[in-house]
Amino acid sequence: MIAKSTHKLVLVPTPIGNLEDITLRAIRTLQEADLILAEDTRTSGILLKHLKISRPLQSYHVHNEHKTVISIIDKIEKGQKVALISDAGTPAISDPGFLLVRECLKQGIEVECLPGPTAFVPALVNSGLPCDSFVFEGFLPQKKGRQTMIEGLKDETRTMVFYESPYRVVKALEQFIEHFGPDRKVSLSRELSKLYEETIRGSLTEALAHFKLKEPKGEFVIVVAGKST
Ligand code: SAM
């Protein structure tokens, strides 16, 4: 469907660690916004204060997105410039945003996502695994359906990218070994763009041995090689 309105929703990526990783356009968009929708107004308040931006903030998160979508669309239709940010990275990438994007498009409102920080791209590129073709899986389910999801990926030939909590990194590596075999290549990037940024590369067995000795800490992206053909 062609968007009918000149108004639009702008999704603004914010840093995943290093505060210098924000674009000039992102800053200008936030400065000019009539309303900034934020996943966590306290977290975003710190970033906005750092950028010396003082614009009205409204919370928009998984627990209120269904309730607030209609009133947000109403504001955009009335001409307000609305920007959406999440706690870190690109909104709607394993973060709230998809619902609002879909609803805006349904209502004929244009959506623009500014290019900017997201964790999976540097992790994928740093991995040294093929990045010409890949699948982004985001977070695996924590319990129910987790094994089935992993089993369903055992014949995937493209590089696979996962977000994972540090508390489940060892479990994920053990399950990947179970379903993909011990020799599959993996790369784990932690704390991207932060002080303790580090990437560990090797076979699943080597990575598991590493993280059994050194407790996983910080934020992780796990990149797993696809099945060789
Ligand atoms: N919207 C974000 C993006 O564009 O990447 C993702 C948000 S999701 C709630 C948070 C997950 O992203 C973390 O659990 C971790 O897997 C990954 N992540 C975010 N920042 C990271 C960083 N600095 N280093 C490594 N992984 C990171």
Side-chain angles (χ1 to χ4, degrees):
M1 188 167 106
I2 307 280
K4 61 175 188 244
S5 148
T6 53
H7 308 308
K8 63 184 176 193
L9 168 74
V10 186
L11 282 76
V12 180
T14 53
I16 58 165
N18 190 325
L19 292 182
E20 290 181 0
D21 293 336
I22 185 152
T23 68
L24 298 175
R25 191 144 77 103
I27 295 172
R28 184 174 51 74
T29 303
L30 294 174
Q31 279 166 342
E32 291 174 357
D34 297 309
L35 177 66
I36 300 175
L37 302 172
E39 186 183 3
D40 182 329
T41 50
R42 272 173 308 176
T43 307
S44 297
I46 296 168
L47 174 73
L48 294 171
K49 196 169 170 205
H50 168 81
L51 296 171
K52 300 188 173 58
I53 294 173
S54 171
R55 307 301 306 143
L57 261 184
Q58 182 184 315
S59 76
Y60 178 82
H61 47 70
V62 280
H63 304 295
N64 75 359
E65 56 180 349
H66 286 270
K67 271 206 314 240
T68 51
V69 151
I70 299 301
S71 71
I72 295 167
I73 286 180
D74 189 52
K75 285 177 181 156
I76 301 174
E77 279 179 335
K78 286 191 172 128
Q80 286 205 23
K81 289 183 186 159
V82 176
L84 172 66
I85 57 180
S86 63
D87 286 355
T90 300
I93 297 297
S94 296
D95 265 341
F98 162 68
L99 201 84
L100 184 57
V101 167
R102 186 179 62 183
E103 215 42 47
C104 280
L105 295 175
K106 237 191 234 169
Q107 301 301 325
I109 294 171
E110 193 49 86
V111 172
E112 184 178 17
C113 178
L114 304 189
T118 188
F120 77 86
V121 172
L124 174 65
V125 176
N126 283 344
S127 73
L129 296 169
C131 49
D132 53 343
S133 178
F134 62 91
V135 282
F136 174 69
E137 290 292 329
F139 289 102
L140 287 164
Q142 286 184 31
K143 290 198 177 88
K144 201 167 168 281
R146 186 175 169 100
Q147 294 275 14
T148 319
M149 278 278 295
I150 302 175
E151 175 63 17
L153 290 167
K154 81 173 186 327
D155 293 324
E156 176 58 64
T157 53
R158 293 167 293 181
T159 302
M160 296 170 275
V161 185
F162 302 89
Y163 283 169
E164 191 53 285
S165 143
Y167 308 109
R168 283 184 292 277
V169 162
V170 166
K171 180 177 171 187
L173 291 171
E174 286 169 344
Q175 292 175 322
F176 290 156
I177 289 177
E178 192 184 325
H179 295 277
F180 306 155
D183 301 327
R184 192 75 78 89
K185 293 266 174 278
V186 66
S187 170
L188 297 100
S189 287
R190 61 180 282 267
E191 297 291 86
L192 287 157
S193 81
K194 302 187 201 175
L195 190 59
Y196 296 106
E197 170 168 353
E198 156 177 69
T199 295
I200 303 295
R201 306 173 185 85
S203 68
L204 285 169
T205 311
E206 287 163 346
L208 179 62
H210 174 90
F211 285 109
K212 278 201 159 163
L213 280 178
K214 199 172 175 211
E215 187 194 342
K217 285 196 180 135
E219 298 197 278
F220 275 83
V221 183
I222 310 181
V223 184
V224 184
K227 186 180 177 184
S228 320
T229 46

